Amino acid sequence: MNQVHEAITAHTRKQHAHLERFLELDEARERAIEEAVSLCEKGLSFSVERINAITAQINAHAGQGISPLRKPVTEQMVRDYTARRNR
């Protein structure tokens, strides 16, 4: 019985660690999106490369556990979001 408890505990810890890493990456992605939106709002040039690099990390990480996938972001998506946000 003790082995079963230890196995469940180890599995739970592994899932928790996986989700914690996902949250870190997702927060970094959101910051990168906000930076791009801020530049777009100011009429300055921006890039989605950093956003999509983090997105790739998230999606690779998702393949190792239970976290969700994220879609790549295009520059047009940032422009559209910025326009909707500023209405």
Side-chain angles (χ1 to χ4, degrees), residues 17-32:
H18 178 86
L19 290 174
E20 285 292 319
R21 178 65 179 143
F22 165 76
L23 290 174
E24 291 170 2
L25 290 168
D26 200 46
E27 288 173 8
R29 182 176 183 268
E30 288 300 317
R31 284 191 304 272

Side-chain angles (χ1 to χ4, degrees), residues 13 39 46 49 59 64 75:
R13 284 185 181 140
L39 290 170
F46 64 91
E49 285 182 34
N59 292 341
Q64 303 166 9
E75 289 181 5

Side-chain angles (χ1 to χ4, degrees), residues 5-54:
H5 177 70
E6 288 174 6
I8 292 170
T9 299
H11 178 71
T12 301
R13 284 185 181 140
K14 183 177 177 183
Q15 284 186 327
H16 179 73
H18 178 86
L19 290 174
E20 285 292 319
R21 178 65 179 143
F22 165 76
L23 290 174
E24 291 170 2
L25 290 168
D26 200 46
E27 288 173 8
R29 182 176 183 268
E30 288 300 317
R31 284 191 304 272
I33 290 170
E34 282 301 318
E35 288 173 17
V37 167
S38 177
L39 290 170
C40 185
E41 285 177 332
K42 296 173 185 171
L44 301 172
S45 65
F46 64 91
S47 170
V48 295
E49 285 182 34
R50 184 166 164 251
I51 298 165
N52 289 327
I54 298 168

